[in-house]
Amino acid sequence: MSADGHVHSAEQQTAFWSSSGMELAANGPDWTAGLKAQEARRRLVQYGPNAIDTAGASHLLLKIVRRLAQPLVLVLLIAAVVSGLTGDLASTIIIMAIVTISTAMDVVQEHGAERAAAALRQSIAITVTTLRDGHAVEIPVEQIVPGDVVMLSPGDLVPADGIVIASNGGRVNEALLTGEPYPVDKRPGPSGAADPASAFDALFGGTAVVSGELQMLVAQTGAATMLGTIAAALQTDAPLTAFERGLHRLGLLIVRLTIGLVLFVLLAHIVFHRPPLESFMFAIALAVGLTPELLPMVTTVTLSRGALRLARQRVIVKKLSAIHDLGAMDVLCTDKTGTLTEARIELSGFPGIDGQDYGHALELAALNSRFVTGVGNPLDDAILARAGNLVAGWRRCADLPFDFERRMASTLVERDGRRILIVKGAPEAVLAKSSQAERCTDEVVAMDAALRGQCDALHEREAQGGLRLLGVAWREWTGDADRIGMDDERDLVFAGFCAFLDPPKVSAAVAIARLRSQNVAVKIISGDAAAVVLHLVGSLALDCKGMLTGDVIAGLSDAALTAKVRDTDLFARVSPDQKMRIIRALSATGHTVGFLGDGINDAPAIRAADAGISVESATDVARAAADIVLLAPDLGVVADGVAEGRRTYANIMKYLRMGTSSNFGNMLSMALASLVIPFLPMTAIQILLNNLLYDLSETGIPFDAVDSDDLAAPHNWNMAAIMRFTGVMGPLSSVFDIATFGLLLFVYHAAPDEFRTAWFVESILTQILVIFVIRTRLLPWHSRPHPALVVTSLGALAVALFLALGPFARVFGFASLPQSLLLWVIALAAIYLALAQVLKRLAIA
C-alpha cells in the first residue's frame, strides 16, 4: 500500500487483503458486533467516502487548445493567416473551416473515458446492510468504511473490497473482473492466493453474489479498491495512438521543410538585393504552398467513409482515427470469453467411471439440479438444458443445500413409490462418500482402491483439458422420513461426472486464420487458468507459442516483460493491471497493438491499446473505454475492420505522397527560379491558386479504390518513406520545370506574364495528371481509379486551364500563349508522366 492509501497492483492488493482486514479487526471493537457509530464517523473522515472520484475530466477549452497546439494544425493556422494577409480570403475560409470541423470531431470523441469512470461508479450498490453498534442497519454505500461488517445475500452487489469472515454457501460472479465464467465459492481463509482469481477469502467491489449468504469485513473502499484503480487508469490521459503519433511526426516534418525553404529564399533574395517586401511575400506564399491544407479534410472524409462501411458490417466506430490504427495493427490481443468462446457454460459431457457418457449420470444430475433449493447457478442451468424431459414424473421430498464444509448438495426424490437420494458436488467430496460405483452397463461394483484411482485419473485428465467437473452419486432411500441430514450422505453409488466448458466459437479459428493471413499476430490474454486457455487453443487447433501466467508476470520487471512478450502468444490468470502492462510492453517493442475485451477488468488495457475494441454485450465501462464497438462479438468482423483500416491508410498516403512531392517540387522550382530570373516566376496569388486547384483535384482520393497489395500487410506512418518519395518525385518535377524555364527563356524569350502563364499550365498539367500514375504501384490502366477521383481531378484541371487561358486570364495576371508553345508544354508533360511511371518503383517503398 502506498503512502496515499492506494494499492497500485492486483498483487499488492492480494498481499494487503488479509493483513489489512486483520489489522482493522484488531484495532477496532469486536467485529462480530460491527463498528460503533462514532468510530465509523471517524473512519469516514480518515478514509473518505466509498466512492470513485471522477473529477478527472478536463475543461472543454483545454481539450480544444491541446488539439490546436499540434504541429500540423499550427502550420495550417499560420497558412490561413498568411493567406488572409495576401488577399486570398477563399483559402483562409477553407483552411479555417477544415481545422474547425476536424477539431470539433476530435473533442466530441474524448468524452468516452469520462463516461467510463462514471459507469464504474454506477456499477456499485446504492445501499448496503452492515453491523453498527451490534445491529444490522441499512446505510448508503458511500458511508461504508474499512472495518465495517457487511451482510450480503443473493443478488447483492459487493460494495467494496474485503475479507470473507462467514459464509453459508456463498458464491460470487466475478466474471467482470477476472473473466472466469463460473461462480466462485467464497469462504473464510486465509487463502494465501497470489492473484485475485484464486482468493476464495476475498470479495471485490462491483461483483455480484449469486447464491448463499456472506459476511464481509471491509478492508478497502473508494479509490483503493480494484475498481478504484481501474477508474484511475481510465481518468489519465490515454497515450497517443499510432495515427496521432504519425500526424505529429508529419507536422514536425512539414514545419522543418517550411522553415528551411523560407529562410533559404529570404537569404538568397537578400544576397541578390531583391525588394525586401516582395521577397518576404514570395517566401510566405512558398510556405503556404508547402502546407497540405486539405489533409484534415482528406483524413476525415476517408476515415468517415471507412466508418460508414464498417457500420454496414455492424461495427460502431467511436473515434475515427481508430480505423487507421486498426489497419496499422500488427498484434491483436484478445480475451477469450465472448470472442473465442460463446461466453456461456455448456454441459460438454457426462462420463461414467468407464470414461463414456452415461445417461443415468445425466438423469441423476438433472434431478438434483431441478429439485435442490436455493438460488440456481449456471451449472444447474446447463445440466437442465441438456436433460430435456428426464426429470418428468419425479417429485421432491427433501433436500440439503450446498455448503462449503460438505461441498455438495443432496436431494431426496420420489417416483412411483421409489425414493432415491442424489448427491452432486465436488468430485473428491462425492467420491469420499461412495462405497460403490456404477459402470456404464448399469452394473454396480465395489469402490475399491483401483477403481477409486481410475476415477481420480479421469477427473484429473478432464480438468487438465480445461473442463470443470461435478461428481454425481446416489443410493436407495429406505427410511420414511421426509428430511435428510449430513449423516445420510454415505454408502453412495458413484454414477459419474458432469463436465462443463465455455464452448469455443466455430468461427474463431477461421477468423484467426484470416487475421494471420493479414500479418496480424493474435495473442490470447485471459483471467482463466492456464489449463482452460490451453484447452481452448487445442480445441481451435491454433498454432501458439509460449505461455506466461500472472504469477510469473508479477515477478518480471517492465524490461523483462518486454523481452518475453515477443515470443509469447498465451497469457493466463492475469490481473487488469497486468493486461495493461502486456499491452504497453508490446507497444514498447514497436508494435501497433489492438485489444479486444468486454469486462471491467479489460477497460485499462482497452484504453492503453492503439486500437481499443469492445463488444455490444460488454460492460458499460469496457464499451466506454473502447474506440470501436462490435455489435457482433466475432473476430471475423475485426478482420474486416483491418482491411478497412488499411484501405483508409492507403488513400491518406496517396494524398500525402502526391501533395508533399508535388508541393515540394513546385516550391523548390520557384525558389531556384527566383534567384536567376529577374522577375518572380509566379505571383503570390498564382502560387496560391495553383495550390488550391491542385488540392481540390485530390478531394476524390477518399473514394478511390485500393490495390490488393496495400491490404496485405499492416502499414504505419513512415516519415522516411514519405521523404524518399518526395526526394525522388519532387526533383523529377523540378527537372521538368527547369526544362520549361529554359524553353521559355531561351527559345521563346517569353515576357514575364507569358512566362508565368506557360509555367502555370505546365505545373498544373503535370501535377494533376500524375495522380493517375502514382496512385498505384501498377500500370495506370491495370488499376482503375474511382469515378469521383476522375471527376475531381479532370474537373480541377479544366478549371485551371480555363482561368489561365480563358477570358478571365488577365484578372489573375495571365497572358495568351502561342499554339506551338502549348504543344511543347503538352509534350514535356507527356515525357514527365512516362518517367514518373518508371521512377515510382524506386519512390514507393
Side-chain angles (χ1 to χ4, degrees):
M1 187 174 182
S2 65
D4 61 359
H6 287 60
V7 175
H8 298 289
S9 72
E11 288 74 23
Q12 287 175 303
Q13 283 181 314
T14 306
F16 183 68
W17 294 322
S18 297
S19 61
S20 176
M22 296 307 103
E23 179 185 348
L24 289 166
N27 293 342
D30 181 7
W31 57 258
T32 58
L35 294 174
K36 291 186 181 297
Q38 182 178 356
E39 174 64 13
R41 286 193 294 270
R42 186 191 69 78
R43 295 190 182 196
L44 186 60
V45 173
Q46 177 183 353
Y47 295 102
N50 179 37
I52 296 173
D53 181 18
T54 58
S58 58
H59 193 276
L60 178 63
L61 182 60
L62 182 61
K63 297 174 184 176
I64 295 174
V65 170
R66 188 184 305 133
R67 278 155 181 78
L68 294 181
Q70 294 175 356
L72 181 59
V73 176
L74 286 175
V75 170
L76 293 177
L77 291 176
I78 294 171
V81 172
V82 171
S83 297
L85 294 176
T86 58
D88 185 13
L89 295 179
S91 293
T92 298
I93 293 171
I94 291 172
I95 294 172
M96 293 302 295
I98 289 170
V99 170
T100 300
I101 293 171
S102 177
T103 300
M105 294 185 69
D106 279 347
V107 169
V108 168
Q109 299 300 329
E110 193 173 322
H111 292 292
E114 295 163 14
R115 289 196 301 268
L120 271 171
R121 185 173 57 183
Q122 294 300 319
S123 70
I124 302 179
I126 305 302
T127 61
V128 68
T129 302
T130 187
L131 288 177
R132 292 282 174 87
D133 295 318
H135 301 287
V137 295
E138 195 86 5
I139 65 172
V141 69
E142 291 85 0
Q143 296 180 14
I144 290 292
V145 296
D148 262 326
V149 175
V150 175
M151 334 280 275
L152 298 169
S153 302
D156 288 345
L157 290 178
V158 179
D161 291 358
I163 309 298
V164 178
I165 55 177
S167 174
N168 181 18
R171 288 185 173 183
V172 177
N173 185 341
E174 295 182 338
L176 297 183
L177 277 177
T178 66
E180 176 68 62
Y182 304 104
V184 180
D185 297 335
K186 294 294 182 179
R187 61 188 185 277
S191 65
D195 67 283
S198 303
F200 61 75
D201 59 338
L203 294 169
F204 306 100
T207 58
V209 180
V210 296
S211 64
E213 294 180 342
L214 292 158
Q215 285 189 20
M216 175 181 76
L217 178 64
V218 176
Q220 303 196 72
T221 58
T225 63
M226 286 194 70
L227 280 182
T229 59
I230 293 173
L234 295 180
Q235 287 180 22
T236 58
D237 288 338
L240 292 177
T241 65
F243 183 79
E244 293 164 339
R245 292 194 299 269
L247 275 182
H248 185 80
R249 292 197 300 270
L250 176 65
L252 293 177
L253 174 63
I254 292 174
V255 167
R256 287 194 292 268
L257 287 175
T258 302
I259 292 174
L261 186 61
V262 169
L263 290 177
F264 170 76
V265 170
L266 282 176
L267 290 174
H269 278 223
I270 291 173
V271 170
F272 283 88
H273 305 290
R274 300 293 170 82
L277 180 60
E278 185 181 81
S279 298
F280 176 75
M281 296 305 296
F282 180 73
I284 293 300
L286 289 182
V288 173
L290 270 177
T291 59
E293 58 263 32
L294 288 191
L295 179 60
M297 184 279 295
V298 169
T299 56
T300 299
V301 173
T302 303
L303 294 172
S304 296
R305 278 183 53 80
L308 290 174
R309 280 193 288 261
L310 287 177
R312 289 193 286 270
Q313 300 175 52
R314 305 190 68 204
V315 177
I316 297 174
V317 178
K318 295 169 52 184
K319 187 176 181 181
L320 289 178
S321 64
I323 298 178
H324 163 273
D325 297 330
L326 200 58
M329 177 179 71
D330 58 355
V331 175
L332 173 64
C333 299
T334 177
D335 188 13
K336 71 175 189 64
T337 306
T339 51
L340 303 179
T341 69
E342 298 288 354
R344 58 181 171 81
I345 296 175
E346 183 179 273
L347 182 67
S348 66
F350 33 93
I353 62 173
D354 300 318
Q356 301 174 345
D357 280 351
Y358 184 34
H360 192 216
L362 175 60
E363 180 183 12
L364 294 170
L367 289 170
N368 182 282
S369 296
R370 171 65 179 82
F371 294 116
V372 73
T373 57
V375 179
N377 63 68
L379 301 180
D380 288 331
D381 294 341
I383 291 171
L384 293 173
R386 185 71 174 270
N389 295 323
L390 289 178
V391 298
W394 291 89
R395 74 175 184 88
R396 172 184 172 277
C397 299
D399 77 295
L400 192 61
F402 178 92
D403 67 51
F404 288 114
E405 296 298 325
R406 297 163 36 250
R407 300 172 63 205
M408 61 184 71
S410 298
T411 307
L412 181 62
V413 295
E414 179 184 29
R415 185 174 69 178
D416 299 334
R418 180 194 177 201
R419 290 187 174 189
I420 59 173
L421 175 69
I422 305 172
V423 179
K424 173 169 61 68
E428 58 273 21
V430 176
L431 280 167
K433 299 289 185 179
S434 301
S435 58
Q436 295 177 294
E438 188 174 9
R439 295 194 179 278
C440 294
T441 58
D442 296 336
E443 176 188 3
V444 176
V445 297
M447 178 69 79
D448 56 21
L451 190 55
R452 193 177 300 276
Q454 178 181 325
C455 292
D456 290 339
L458 177 59
H459 176 204
E460 180 68 19
R461 185 169 63 251
E462 295 291 326
Q464 286 295 323
L467 303 179
R468 178 166 178 172
L469 271 66
L470 293 177
V472 184
W474 64 281
R475 73 176 176 88
E476 296 286 351
W477 185 261
T478 55
D480 295 329
D482 282 342
R483 63 185 180 84
I484 54 178
M486 289 188 291
D487 292 340
D488 294 314
E489 295 171 332
R490 54 179 172 77
D491 300 327
L492 301 176
V493 179
F494 189 79
F497 302 92
C498 288
F500 305 88
L501 85 161
D502 183 5
K505 279 192 173 181
V506 176
S507 62
V510 176
I512 290 176
R514 274 190 66 193
L515 286 166
R516 288 178 172 172
S517 71
Q518 294 171 319
N519 292 292
V520 177
V522 178
K523 297 180 184 289
I524 301 172
I525 303 179
S526 176
D528 279 333
V532 176
V533 176
L534 289 172
H535 174 74
L536 174 65
V537 169
S539 300
L540 295 173
L542 302 180
D543 182 17
C544 296
K545 59 182 180 182
M547 171 176 281
L548 286 177
T549 63
D551 290 343
V552 175
I553 294 173
L556 295 177
S557 66
D558 288 342
L561 180 61
T562 299
K564 283 187 172 294
V565 293
R566 300 171 186 267
D567 302 315
T568 305
D569 291 335
L570 305 177
F571 301 86
R573 276 285 190 244
V574 292
S575 62
D577 62 293
Q578 288 174 341
K579 291 184 179 183
M580 188 163 59
R581 285 186 65 199
I582 293 168
I583 298 301
R584 288 176 174 170
L586 287 166
S587 296
T589 61
H591 291 291
T592 300
V593 186
F595 183 84
L596 173 57
D598 60 357
I600 291 175
N601 61 322
D602 295 322
I606 291 173
R607 183 163 166 75
D610 291 299
I613 312 168
S614 192
V615 295
E616 183 185 27
S617 59
T619 62
D620 290 342
V621 178
R623 287 201 307 271
D627 301 320
I628 295 172
V629 178
L630 310 181
L631 299 184
D634 187 349
L635 282 180
V637 179
V638 178
D640 295 334
V642 168
E644 193 59 54
R646 293 176 184 175
R647 183 178 292 110
T648 60
Y649 170 82
N651 281 336
I652 290 172
M653 290 306 296
K654 287 177 188 177
Y655 172 79
L656 283 178
R657 285 199 297 260
M658 295 172 188
T660 54
S661 63
S662 177
N663 288 355
F664 179 74
N666 276 351
M667 298 309 111
L668 179 63
S669 300
M670 279 187 276
L672 294 173
S674 68
L675 300 180
V676 297
I677 299 174
F679 52 85
L680 290 179
M682 271 193 205
T683 65
I685 190 66
Q686 289 170 345
I687 292 173
L688 296 173
L689 179 64
N690 178 295
N691 194 48
L692 177 62
L693 287 172
Y694 177 64
D695 279 337
L696 290 176
S697 74
E698 295 182 295
T699 55
I701 287 177
F703 306 90
D704 196 23
V706 174
D707 296 338
S708 58
D709 288 347
D710 291 324
L711 305 179
H715 301 281
N716 220 323
W717 293 83
N718 187 337
M719 295 302 107
I722 294 175
M723 287 298 296
R724 176 177 178 175
F725 190 91
T726 301
V728 173
M729 303 305 293
L732 176 64
S733 174
S734 295
V735 166
F736 279 83
D737 287 338
I738 293 171
T740 304
F741 296 162
L743 177 71
L744 294 172
L745 291 174
F746 303 115
V747 177
Y748 281 90
H749 306 287
D753 286 349
E754 193 177 40
F755 181 98
R756 291 167 183 150
T757 304
W759 188 38
F760 179 90
V761 171
E762 184 269 345
S763 175
I764 202 72
L765 195 65
T766 54
Q767 277 183 285
I768 291 179
L769 292 182
V770 81
I771 289 175
F772 301 104
V773 174
I774 62 179
R775 58 169 290 275
T776 174
R777 288 179 169 85
L778 307 175
L779 292 170
W781 50 88
H782 287 169
S783 176
R784 294 184 179 181
H786 191 278
L789 180 60
V790 175
V791 170
T792 58
S793 299
L794 298 185
L797 179 59
V799 170
L801 295 177
F802 176 77
L803 292 178
L805 304 175
F808 301 104
R810 293 290 179 185
V811 175
F812 298 96
F814 295 122
S816 59
L817 298 177
Q819 185 175 4
S820 61
L821 177 56
L822 282 175
L823 291 176
W824 269 108
V825 168
I826 294 172
L828 286 173
I831 297 171
Y832 166 73
L833 294 176
L835 285 176
Q837 172 62 33
V838 174
L839 291 180
K840 76 177 182 182
R841 299 178 182 275
L842 175 64
I844 301 178

